[in-house]
Amino acid sequence: MLEQIKKIKQEAENELKKISTSQELDTLRLKYLSRKGLISSLFSDLKDVVANERAIVGQKINQLKSDVESSYKELQESLKSDKETEDDVDLFLPGRQPFIGRLHPLTIVLDEIKQIFFNLGFHVEDGPEIETDYYNFEALNIPKDHPARDMQDTLYITEEILLRTHTSPVQIRVMQSQKPPISIIAPGRVYRRDTPDASHSPFFHQVEGLVVDEGISFGDLKGVITAFAHKMFGSDIKVRFRPSFFPFTEPSAEYDFNCVFCRGKGCRVCKNTGWMEISGAGMVDPNVFEAVGYDSEKYTGYAFGMGVDRIAMLKYGINDIRLFFENDLRFLNQF
Ligand code: DAH
């Protein structure tokens, strides 16, 4: 009997070493550990053992049983964890994309605007967003009772200090510190007391343009604005100027581009007019030259405004200005 126990132990150990799959392990379990397995039959044979040896032999069989059981469990565990790591690796899963930063659409459009004007001989000037009443209004020939000064439109910090409502005050700062010829653009953020909706935001972005020299005419202004429209939206886009009024230009105009969606044919976006309003422009008012000490007999100049957000909305077909400022990655990732 002891011989037989030894033989089964040896056999089980050899077989355990060769096992590499869970099927093989299961066959081994059936052979040794099941109710009709070899170890159970050893227990049934125990009754034939002489009484005084029975305890010793019983102990040996128990020992064999627990040895085989623990080896079995160990193998079972290791086969299971192998299987898990195999299952975890899905070779068909698409790789993880590294997170890539992008330029904001307004930055992309502003860079393009700057590049176009740079090629036309302009350079970039900067001015403060917190301005004085003098630069934002007074020096620009905007009288005290002008509606733009209304509390409804302007965000005042004190009676004299405010958040600039347009980039036009940079015109004054540049003319105060430089002599003609001047040919600049001044991009930047501006503020108005507006309730946000699809086309209004309490802050937005403008580009101011200013050219001053001897003999500058309205024709130069039209040429530059038209060149800009062609570069920005395509050479089939027409430009038109409509008479208008701004206190700091005389004569003043508002300028429109052909609708960039229907190219002038008329569509839902341009309400069938074929045109889209862009901004204002005109010849620098002699009163403004006066304020900065320029000789208005000698020099003439033109100025224009431009809405960066509006141009970006037209360029990308965006119908809500608020999207630019919400920083929703689902929106920003598209540029
Ligand atoms: N500052 C004006 C505005 O915010 C836009 C403008 C109009 C700018 C005419 C100009 C100009 O330089 O000549 O609505």
Side-chain angles (χ1 to χ4, degrees):
M1 187 78 187
L2 287 176
E3 265 314 296
Q4 209 181 345
I5 295 171
K6 220 172 174 182
K7 209 181 122 216
I8 291 176
K9 185 174 156 59
Q10 197 61 50
E11 211 178 304
E13 275 171 5
N14 287 341
E15 283 179 35
L16 275 160
K17 272 187 214 142
K18 290 188 206 134
I19 282 172
S20 62
T21 68
S22 38
Q23 277 109 313
E24 286 168 0
L25 186 65
D26 207 47
T27 314
L28 179 127
R29 184 187 59 79
L30 285 172
K31 183 171 169 188
Y32 294 96
L33 298 170
S34 66
R35 254 196 308 133
K36 289 187 177 154
L38 289 175
I39 295 176
S40 289
S41 69
L42 283 177
F43 280 118
S44 340
D45 294 345
L46 199 58
K47 60 180 181 328
D48 304 331
V49 175
V50 286
N52 60 352
E53 284 178 13
R54 214 173 277 161
I56 303 271
V57 176
Q59 218 178 9
K60 289 263 180 226
I61 304 172
N62 269 328
Q63 184 62 46
L64 171 66
K65 191 182 173 201
S66 80
D67 285 352
V68 176
E69 261 173 7
S70 65
S71 303
Y72 167 80
K73 284 207 180 106
E74 223 170 83
L75 255 175
Q76 195 183 33
E77 276 307 306
S78 84
L79 286 175
K80 205 161 98 192
S81 64
D82 282 357
K83 192 158 170 269
E84 265 169 17
T85 38
E86 258 167 44
D87 286 350
D88 275 356
V89 180
D90 179 353
L91 298 175
F92 293 94
L93 206 64
R96 287 201 188 114
Q97 294 267 345
F99 184 79
I100 298 171
R102 288 160 202 272
L103 293 180
H104 191 280
L106 289 178
T107 307
I108 298 173
V109 167
L110 186 57
D111 283 350
E112 200 174 334
I113 294 173
K114 283 187 202 162
Q115 188 60 48
I116 293 170
F117 281 109
F118 178 79
N119 292 343
L120 291 167
F122 287 71
H123 76 264
V124 174
E125 287 286 346
D126 202 8
E129 289 177 24
I130 299 172
E131 261 299 5
T132 60
D133 180 271
Y134 175 77
Y135 284 105
N136 198 79
F137 295 128
E138 197 76 42
L140 286 163
N141 199 31
I142 302 176
K144 280 266 184 259
D145 55 0
H146 194 278
R149 289 187 175 211
D150 199 298
M151 292 299 279
Q152 302 280 309
D153 284 312
T154 306
L155 288 152
Y156 282 92
I157 294 167
T158 68
E159 214 162 290
E160 280 304 309
I161 299 170
L162 45 81
L163 295 179
R164 68 179 177 189
T165 59
H166 52 179
T167 44
S168 303
V170 187
Q171 289 186 33
I172 306 297
R173 292 182 174 275
V174 167
M175 287 191 282
Q176 276 181 344
S177 62
Q178 298 173 33
K179 292 279 158 257
I182 281 172
S183 186
I184 60 106
I185 54 166
R189 186 173 278 194
V190 301
Y191 302 81
R192 305 256 171 108
R193 262 179 66 138
D194 266 328
T195 306
D197 64 24
S199 51
H200 294 88
S201 161
F203 57 83
F204 51 98
H205 302 83
Q206 291 186 333
V207 171
E208 193 76 14
L210 175 71
V211 171
V212 184
D213 202 354
E214 290 178 46
I216 297 292
S217 72
F218 204 98
D220 296 319
L221 168 64
K222 289 180 94 169
V224 159
I225 295 291
T226 306
F228 172 81
H230 290 174
K231 283 276 179 233
M232 193 75 201
F233 294 115
S235 49
D236 59 321
I237 292 291
K238 289 196 190 71
V239 177
R240 78 176 180 191
F241 287 76
R242 288 175 288 108
S244 186
F245 173 78
F246 294 99
F248 38 95
T249 44
E250 181 58 35
S252 300
E254 273 173 79
Y255 63 95
D256 307 334
F257 292 170
N258 265 156
C259 170
V260 299
F261 300 107
C262 63
R263 321 301 287 183
K265 285 192 194 72
C267 68
R268 197 173 47 83
V269 181
C270 61
K271 300 198 181 74
N272 270 321
T273 61
W275 295 98
M276 313 210 94
E277 288 180 21
I278 303 295
S279 187
M283 300 305 291
V284 180
D285 193 291
N287 285 343
V288 174
F289 281 152
E290 202 92 336
V292 297
Y294 277 11
D295 180 354
S296 63
E297 291 297 319
K298 188 172 176 197
Y299 297 113
T300 51
Y302 64 78
F304 59 85
M306 194 173 276
V308 180
D309 317 71
R310 177 142 176 78
I311 299 218
M313 286 168 85
L314 295 176
K315 187 174 167 74
Y316 294 119
I318 295 164
N319 58 12
D320 193 325
I321 192 172
R322 291 169 294 189
L323 287 166
F324 289 132
F325 310 121
E326 284 167 353
N327 287 331
D328 186 331
L329 284 179
R330 291 169 300 179
F331 171 73
L332 297 176
N333 276 339
Q334 297 175 59
F335 300 93

mmCIF file of all heavy atoms in Angstrom, residues 41-63:
data_model
loop_
_atom_site.group_PDB
_atom_site.id
_atom_site.type_symbol
_atom_site.label_atom_id
_atom_site.label_comp_id
_atom_site.label_asym_id
_atom_site.label_seq_id
_atom_site.Cartn_x
_atom_site.Cartn_y
_atom_site.Cartn_z
ATOM 1 N N SER A 41 -9.722 6.142 -4.393
ATOM 2 C CA SER A 41 -9.678 4.669 -4.346
ATOM 3 C C SER A 41 -8.644 4.170 -3.327
ATOM 4 O O SER A 41 -8.815 3.115 -2.732
ATOM 5 C CB SER A 41 -9.451 4.069 -5.731
ATOM 6 O OG SER A 41 -8.138 4.364 -6.168
ATOM 7 N N LEU A 42 -7.605 4.980 -3.087
ATOM 8 C CA LEU A 42 -6.653 4.620 -2.025
ATOM 9 C C LEU A 42 -7.373 4.565 -0.672
ATOM 10 O O LEU A 42 -7.174 3.653 0.125
ATOM 11 C CB LEU A 42 -5.501 5.632 -1.954
ATOM 12 C CG LEU A 42 -4.403 5.542 -3.020
ATOM 13 C CD1 LEU A 42 -3.390 6.672 -2.824
ATOM 14 C CD2 LEU A 42 -3.677 4.188 -2.961
ATOM 15 N N PHE A 43 -8.240 5.617 -0.483
ATOM 16 C CA PHE A 43 -8.999 5.632 0.794
ATOM 17 C C PHE A 43 -9.885 4.389 0.925
ATOM 18 O O PHE A 43 -9.999 3.808 1.993
ATOM 19 C CB PHE A 43 -9.848 6.910 0.895
ATOM 20 C CG PHE A 43 -9.059 8.126 1.341
ATOM 21 C CD1 PHE A 43 -8.927 9.242 0.531
ATOM 22 C CD2 PHE A 43 -8.468 8.147 2.612
ATOM 23 C CE1 PHE A 43 -8.218 10.350 0.932
ATOM 24 C CE2 PHE A 43 -7.759 9.264 3.027
ATOM 25 C CZ PHE A 43 -7.621 10.363 2.190
ATOM 26 N N SER A 44 -10.516 3.945 -0.215
ATOM 27 C CA SER A 44 -11.389 2.755 -0.137
ATOM 28 C C SER A 44 -10.561 1.499 0.183
ATOM 29 O O SER A 44 -11.038 0.600 0.872
ATOM 30 C CB SER A 44 -12.155 2.503 -1.437
ATOM 31 O OG SER A 44 -12.216 3.643 -2.234
ATOM 32 N N ASP A 45 -9.303 1.507 -0.333
ATOM 33 C CA ASP A 45 -8.452 0.338 -0.075
ATOM 34 C C ASP A 45 -7.951 0.277 1.366
ATOM 35 O O ASP A 45 -7.411 -0.735 1.802
ATOM 36 C CB ASP A 45 -7.238 0.336 -1.017
ATOM 37 C CG ASP A 45 -7.657 0.146 -2.481
ATOM 38 O OD1 ASP A 45 -8.828 -0.263 -2.701
ATOM 39 O OD2 ASP A 45 -6.841 0.459 -3.392
ATOM 40 N N LEU A 46 -8.145 1.378 2.072
ATOM 41 C CA LEU A 46 -7.607 1.468 3.434
ATOM 42 C C LEU A 46 -8.184 0.381 4.362
ATOM 43 O O LEU A 46 -7.503 -0.092 5.285
ATOM 44 C CB LEU A 46 -7.928 2.877 3.996
ATOM 45 C CG LEU A 46 -7.104 3.364 5.179
ATOM 46 C CD1 LEU A 46 -5.608 3.385 4.855
ATOM 47 C CD2 LEU A 46 -7.536 4.779 5.574
ATOM 48 N N LYS A 47 -9.414 -0.034 4.038
ATOM 49 C CA LYS A 47 -10.046 -1.042 4.905
ATOM 50 C C LYS A 47 -9.290 -2.384 4.881
ATOM 51 O O LYS A 47 -9.355 -3.179 5.818
ATOM 52 C CB LYS A 47 -11.514 -1.233 4.525
ATOM 53 C CG LYS A 47 -11.758 -1.693 3.109
ATOM 54 C CD LYS A 47 -13.255 -1.847 2.858
ATOM 55 C CE LYS A 47 -13.630 -2.328 1.457
ATOM 56 N NZ LYS A 47 -12.832 -1.980 0.352
ATOM 57 N N ASP A 48 -8.530 -2.620 3.762
ATOM 58 C CA ASP A 48 -7.778 -3.879 3.653
ATOM 59 C C ASP A 48 -6.441 -3.842 4.399
ATOM 60 O O ASP A 48 -5.756 -4.839 4.529
ATOM 61 C CB ASP A 48 -7.503 -4.212 2.180
ATOM 62 C CG ASP A 48 -8.792 -4.276 1.383
ATOM 63 O OD1 ASP A 48 -9.829 -4.623 1.983
ATOM 64 O OD2 ASP A 48 -8.759 -3.932 0.173
ATOM 65 N N VAL A 49 -6.094 -2.674 4.868
ATOM 66 C CA VAL A 49 -4.800 -2.549 5.565
ATOM 67 C C VAL A 49 -4.963 -3.067 6.998
ATOM 68 O O VAL A 49 -5.992 -2.833 7.626
ATOM 69 C CB VAL A 49 -4.327 -1.076 5.572
ATOM 70 C CG1 VAL A 49 -3.033 -0.917 6.398
ATOM 71 C CG2 VAL A 49 -4.095 -0.593 4.148
ATOM 72 N N VAL A 50 -3.909 -3.748 7.480
ATOM 73 C CA VAL A 50 -3.984 -4.283 8.855
ATOM 74 C C VAL A 50 -4.191 -3.153 9.855
ATOM 75 O O VAL A 50 -3.631 -2.066 9.676
ATOM 76 C CB VAL A 50 -2.729 -5.109 9.241
ATOM 77 C CG1 VAL A 50 -2.759 -6.461 8.534
ATOM 78 C CG2 VAL A 50 -1.462 -4.330 8.950
ATOM 79 N N ALA A 51 -4.987 -3.399 10.846
ATOM 80 C CA ALA A 51 -5.455 -2.366 11.750
ATOM 81 C C ALA A 51 -4.351 -1.487 12.348
ATOM 82 O O ALA A 51 -4.487 -0.261 12.401
ATOM 83 C CB ALA A 51 -6.287 -2.990 12.871
ATOM 84 N N ASN A 52 -3.260 -2.082 12.772
ATOM 85 C CA ASN A 52 -2.242 -1.242 13.442
ATOM 86 C C ASN A 52 -1.440 -0.337 12.483
ATOM 87 O O ASN A 52 -0.733 0.540 12.898
ATOM 88 C CB ASN A 52 -1.302 -2.113 14.298
ATOM 89 C CG ASN A 52 -0.571 -3.157 13.472
ATOM 90 O OD1 ASN A 52 -0.890 -3.325 12.284
ATOM 91 N ND2 ASN A 52 0.383 -3.814 14.078
ATOM 92 N N GLU A 53 -1.563 -0.616 11.163
ATOM 93 C CA GLU A 53 -0.862 0.268 10.198
ATOM 94 C C GLU A 53 -1.810 1.304 9.595
ATOM 95 O O GLU A 53 -1.389 2.215 8.895
ATOM 96 C CB GLU A 53 -0.243 -0.573 9.074
ATOM 97 C CG GLU A 53 1.017 -1.297 9.505
ATOM 98 C CD GLU A 53 1.592 -2.162 8.391
ATOM 99 O OE1 GLU A 53 1.167 -2.011 7.214
ATOM 100 O OE2 GLU A 53 2.461 -2.984 8.719
ATOM 101 N N ARG A 54 -3.089 1.079 9.835
ATOM 102 C CA ARG A 54 -4.099 1.894 9.131
ATOM 103 C C ARG A 54 -3.930 3.413 9.353
ATOM 104 O O ARG A 54 -4.011 4.196 8.418
ATOM 105 C CB ARG A 54 -5.498 1.469 9.569
ATOM 106 C CG ARG A 54 -6.511 1.586 8.441
ATOM 107 C CD ARG A 54 -7.827 1.009 8.855
ATOM 108 N NE ARG A 54 -7.867 -0.426 8.680
ATOM 109 C CZ ARG A 54 -8.737 -1.243 9.269
ATOM 110 N NH1 ARG A 54 -9.612 -0.747 10.132
ATOM 111 N NH2 ARG A 54 -8.733 -2.540 9.050
ATOM 112 N N ALA A 55 -3.625 3.757 10.616
ATOM 113 C CA ALA A 55 -3.473 5.199 10.929
ATOM 114 C C ALA A 55 -2.336 5.826 10.131
ATOM 115 O O ALA A 55 -2.479 6.904 9.543
ATOM 116 C CB ALA A 55 -3.245 5.372 12.428
ATOM 117 N N ILE A 56 -1.193 5.141 10.107
ATOM 118 C CA ILE A 56 -0.017 5.646 9.370
ATOM 119 C C ILE A 56 -0.338 5.788 7.893
ATOM 120 O O ILE A 56 -0.111 6.842 7.280
ATOM 121 C CB ILE A 56 1.187 4.672 9.528
ATOM 122 C CG1 ILE A 56 1.547 4.436 10.991
ATOM 123 C CG2 ILE A 56 2.371 5.172 8.694
ATOM 124 C CD1 ILE A 56 2.547 5.415 11.561
ATOM 125 N N VAL A 57 -0.920 4.694 7.316
ATOM 126 C CA VAL A 57 -1.226 4.716 5.873
ATOM 127 C C VAL A 57 -2.251 5.823 5.562
ATOM 128 O O VAL A 57 -2.096 6.589 4.598
ATOM 129 C CB VAL A 57 -1.737 3.328 5.406
ATOM 130 C CG1 VAL A 57 -2.152 3.365 3.939
ATOM 131 C CG2 VAL A 57 -0.655 2.277 5.613
ATOM 132 N N GLY A 58 -3.251 5.916 6.446
ATOM 133 C CA GLY A 58 -4.279 6.973 6.267
ATOM 134 C C GLY A 58 -3.637 8.361 6.228
ATOM 135 O O GLY A 58 -3.966 9.197 5.384
ATOM 136 N N GLN A 59 -2.713 8.562 7.146
ATOM 137 C CA GLN A 59 -2.012 9.852 7.204
ATOM 138 C C GLN A 59 -1.274 10.145 5.896
ATOM 139 O O GLN A 59 -1.336 11.249 5.368
ATOM 140 C CB GLN A 59 -1.000 9.767 8.345
ATOM 141 C CG GLN A 59 -0.884 11.037 9.113
ATOM 142 C CD GLN A 59 0.103 10.853 10.273
ATOM 143 O OE1 GLN A 59 0.812 9.833 10.381
ATOM 144 N NE2 GLN A 59 0.145 11.835 11.143
ATOM 145 N N LYS A 60 -0.604 9.097 5.375
ATOM 146 C CA LYS A 60 0.164 9.254 4.130
ATOM 147 C C LYS A 60 -0.776 9.658 2.979
ATOM 148 O O LYS A 60 -0.427 10.512 2.155
ATOM 149 C CB LYS A 60 0.867 7.927 3.770
ATOM 150 C CG LYS A 60 2.016 7.581 4.695
ATOM 151 C CD LYS A 60 3.341 8.016 4.089
ATOM 152 C CE LYS A 60 4.475 7.656 5.026
ATOM 153 N NZ LYS A 60 5.422 8.742 5.209
ATOM 154 N N ILE A 61 -1.959 8.941 2.950
ATOM 155 C CA ILE A 61 -2.891 9.263 1.854
ATOM 156 C C ILE A 61 -3.385 10.711 1.979
ATOM 157 O O ILE A 61 -3.449 11.456 0.997
ATOM 158 C CB ILE A 61 -4.100 8.306 1.835
ATOM 159 C CG1 ILE A 61 -3.619 6.840 1.748
ATOM 160 C CG2 ILE A 61 -5.004 8.601 0.617
ATOM 161 C CD1 ILE A 61 -4.727 5.817 1.916
ATOM 162 N N ASN A 62 -3.690 11.094 3.224
ATOM 163 C CA ASN A 62 -4.123 12.489 3.457
ATOM 164 C C ASN A 62 -3.071 13.492 3.006
ATOM 165 O O ASN A 62 -3.369 14.508 2.394
ATOM 166 C CB ASN A 62 -4.417 12.703 4.939
ATOM 167 C CG ASN A 62 -5.883 12.407 5.250
ATOM 168 O OD1 ASN A 62 -6.744 12.628 4.392
ATOM 169 N ND2 ASN A 62 -6.150 11.889 6.433
ATOM 170 N N GLN A 63 -1.821 13.159 3.341
ATOM 171 C CA GLN A 63 -0.699 14.022 2.962
ATOM 172 C C GLN A 63 -0.639 14.155 1.436
ATOM 173 O O GLN A 63 -0.541 15.262 0.896
ATOM 174 C CB GLN A 63 0.613 13.418 3.507
ATOM 175 C CG GLN A 63 1.842 14.277 3.266
ATOM 176 C CD GLN A 63 1.712 15.632 3.965
ATOM 177 O OE1 GLN A 63 1.326 15.688 5.140
ATOM 178 N NE2 GLN A 63 1.980 16.708 3.237
#
